Amino acid sequence: MGLFDKLSRTLPGARRQVPDAVTVAQDPQTVFAPVAGSVVALDAVADPAFAQGMLGRGVGIKAEGDVAFAPVSGTVVADVKTKHALLIRAECGAEVLLHVGLDSVRLRGAGFRTYVRKGDDVRAGQPVMSFDRSLMAERGLDDTVVVTVTNSDAFAAVEPVCAGEVSAGSELLRCER
């Protein structure tokens, strides 16, 4: 890595570098795991809006790390001031919600750092945010990472393709037209 590469990976005003991307297969119909951890069925997520599918079909992941990677290639179409969630419109048309923590909005952005914002194009596996799991635990918050396809009804099927443990970048959901 050259000097220019090192400098360009450091965020302005920050001492911490942007984490390296994870390798994913480039499949536009697949939503990849944004974090490593244990997959949780959506109906078992401890938030009624997610568990009842109000925000689309998907899964939760009990995260092991503190960096979330883009679950799809596409464009960030929404971000929030509290930095705990992003909506990415995938190349296949799926609108994929990446939501870190339950009730994490109460942190008002503390413990979160985003590497992208609304309007940015992202590649699956690219780091998009980091989060402080110990702060969430300290505040009594569940650090489950939820991934849903908010426009699930636009697809014939949105189905989990794995269970148990996943690595960041593993196949997570399949969107079929």
Side-chain angles (χ1 to χ4, degrees):
M1 179 182 283
L3 177 62
F4 178 74
D5 294 324
K6 288 179 183 176
L7 291 174
S8 67
R9 293 180 51 75
T10 303
L11 296 173
R15 295 194 186 284
R16 187 168 175 202
Q17 289 187 343
V18 176
D20 291 330
V22 295
T23 303
V24 301
Q26 293 301 317
D27 180 355
Q29 301 305 118
T30 300
V31 177
F32 299 95
V35 295
S38 300
V39 175
V40 177
L42 195 61
D43 62 0
V45 170
D47 179 300
F50 287 117
Q52 294 172 20
M54 290 187 217
L55 298 169
R57 288 184 225 133
V59 296
I61 302 173
K62 288 293 197 178
E64 293 174 358
D66 62 357
V67 175
F69 301 89
V72 292
S73 294
T75 303
V76 178
V77 294
D79 56 11
V80 293
K81 285 182 183 180
T82 52
K83 303 177 187 175
H84 72 283
L86 295 171
L87 184 66
I88 302 169
R89 182 172 299 119
E91 294 168 348
C92 72
E95 294 180 355
V96 179
L97 176 64
L98 168 60
H99 191 282
V100 176
L102 305 180
D103 289 330
S104 52
V105 68
R106 293 187 334 189
L107 293 174
R108 297 183 181 168
F112 290 92
R113 174 174 289 166
T114 55
Y115 304 119
V116 297
R117 61 179 172 220
K118 183 177 178 180
D120 287 351
D121 289 328
V122 296
R123 300 297 305 158
Q126 171 184 337
V128 292
M129 74 171 72
S130 60
F131 50 98
D132 188 340
R133 291 177 47 231
S134 61
L135 177 63
M136 285 187 232
E138 181 182 298
R139 302 277 177 91
L141 300 174
D142 184 330
D143 65 358
T144 299
V145 175
V146 181
V147 181
T148 65
V149 176
T150 61
N151 63 339
S152 296
D153 293 342
F155 294 85
V158 175
E159 299 293 333
V161 293
C162 66
E165 298 293 316
V166 292
S167 300
S170 299
E171 291 186 9
L172 189 64
L173 301 169
R174 183 95 180 142
C175 300
E176 298 288 339
R177 288 251 180 221

